[in-house]
Amino acid sequence: MASRKGSQQSRGDGDKYSVLLPTYNERENLPLIVWLLVKYFGESGYEYEIIVIDDGSPDGTLEVAEQLQKIYGKDKILLRPRAKKLGLGTAYIHGIKHARGNYVFIMDADLSHHPKFIPEFIKKQREGGYDLVSGTRYRGDGGVYGWDLRRKLISRGANYVTQVLLRPGASDLTGSFRLYKKEVLESLVERCVSKGYVFQMEMIVRARQLNYTIGEVPISFVDRVYGESKLGGNEIVSFLKGLLTLFATT
Ligand code: GDD
Ligand code: MN
């Protein structure tokens, strides 16, 4: 058969990828991230759907998402909003309930996670049959661009302390560009107690404890251009609380 590169045709291998996009004030970013997702999924031919979980963004993100749904269709763009800002961890949990794919991608909507890496995640997962593939900024060609020293230290510090206390043996514990087998994601979510940013860390620690297999793909994380980060001081406090809880209970 002729090369499928660049075609919009489905591979028809039965796999489907649900992409969870949590949004809070991402009006400027959403059209571009969705366009890029459509482009990279289209070119590679994998079946997919994009689930936008907006938490009542005051900037009108949901209205933008509705426009995108009109452009790309209701089977490709699903809107599963919540009335107010209830946190990143619970946004994923909410999104998973609506995912129809047998694989689920979790990523940020602010273009810090580039959809160009998606085919690499899928290739990695298929090569090793991994239960989860985690994007890593701290191995191989991975990296962080655009963060100030304070933010770099917070990320490195959170990773380091978690490595020392819990030894999960993955190189990026707080990153949030990941691909899961749907049933693995569901079983992990059931066990996770955290509600905010610490969710990512808890997920990979529990994955290790349950002996799920983890593959890694180096990614470059580029700080957002539009809008601002929602990671505040209280998220750092809840990260530390979550870490100590995990340390004490596992
Ligand atoms: N629905 C919803 N509800 N979405 C949220 C919420 C919330 O309460 N808080 C944040 N988001 C969305 C943002 O709109 C964005 O799409 C994504 O979650 C990540 O939020 P950012 O505020 O951009 O996070 P960051 O860039 O500071 O942090 C990134 O790096 C961290 C450390 O590595 C993220 O990748 C984090 O997940 C990661 O832990
Ligand atoms: Mn961000």
Side-chain angles (χ1 to χ4, degrees):
M1 205 200 249
S3 161
R4 289 195 186 89
K5 198 169 186 298
S7 88
Q8 300 285 315
Q9 226 179 327
S10 154
R11 291 186 176 224
D13 56 14
D15 286 333
K16 179 167 176 166
Y17 296 85
S18 300
V19 180
L20 304 187
L21 283 185
T23 57
Y24 191 74
N25 287 346
E26 303 291 1
R27 184 184 56 191
E28 291 101 337
N29 293 314
L30 197 58
L32 193 48
I33 185 91
V34 167
W35 186 82
L36 286 167
L37 283 166
V38 170
K39 171 179 149 73
Y40 284 98
F41 272 109
E43 283 177 7
S44 51
Y46 299 110
E47 288 280 341
Y48 71 100
E49 65 183 5
I50 301 167
I51 305 179
V52 180
I53 306 119
D54 186 65
D55 271 3
S57 299
D59 78 343
T61 303
L62 185 58
E63 287 71 35
V64 171
E66 283 163 359
Q67 293 298 318
L68 293 167
Q69 195 180 41
K70 281 189 194 132
I71 296 171
Y72 297 106
K74 283 195 165 157
D75 57 324
K76 286 283 179 277
I77 314 278
L78 283 73
L79 308 181
R80 295 294 177 266
R82 303 187 296 178
K84 59 176 176 135
K85 191 169 187 300
L86 297 170
L88 193 47
T90 62
Y92 297 127
I93 296 169
H94 179 72
I96 294 160
K97 289 187 200 135
H98 303 282
R100 294 170 299 184
N102 51 337
Y103 289 92
V104 180
F105 271 102
I106 284 181
M107 64 194 292
D108 295 347
D110 61 355
L111 297 168
S112 286
H113 296 149
H114 200 295
K116 71 182 175 190
F117 293 112
I118 282 196
E120 289 172 39
F121 276 76
I122 295 175
K123 185 164 163 269
K124 186 78 185 177
Q125 193 283 324
R126 291 183 174 198
E127 270 167 19
Y130 294 109
D131 294 315
L132 95 88
V133 176
S134 173
T136 176
R137 299 162 291 181
Y138 301 131
R139 176 179 272 175
D141 290 335
V144 172
Y145 302 88
W147 269 358
D148 58 16
L149 184 64
R150 174 182 170 272
R151 190 63 209 265
K152 280 185 182 155
L153 287 176
I154 292 172
S155 179
R156 283 284 187 176
N159 267 284
Y160 180 77
V161 178
T162 309
Q163 293 287 4
V164 169
L165 290 183
L166 302 172
R167 309 199 167 280
S171 58
D172 192 339
L173 307 172
T174 53
S176 54
F177 194 175
R178 293 181 186 159
L179 168 62
Y180 291 89
K181 285 181 183 166
K182 162 95 152 297
E183 70 273 15
V184 169
L185 183 59
E186 284 169 339
S187 88
L188 283 170
V189 155
E190 255 172 48
R191 293 175 168 84
C192 275
V193 293
S194 32
K195 306 271 176 283
Y197 279 64
V198 60
F199 179 84
Q200 306 294 357
M201 183 275 278
E202 181 173 0
M203 289 286 281
I204 205 150
V205 167
R206 296 212 184 268
R208 201 51 108 183
Q209 287 164 352
L210 294 167
N211 287 321
Y212 285 127
T213 54
I214 303 173
E216 291 193 312
V217 168
I219 58 151
S220 40
F221 179 102
V222 182
D223 196 23
R224 58 164 75 236
V225 174
Y226 295 109
E228 52 196 38
S229 164
K230 285 90 204 173
L231 182 110
N234 47 353
E235 287 289 353
I236 298 170
V237 173
S238 40
F239 184 92
L240 291 172
K241 277 190 195 152
L243 178 64
L244 293 176
T245 309
L246 275 173
F247 183 61
T249 57
T250 59

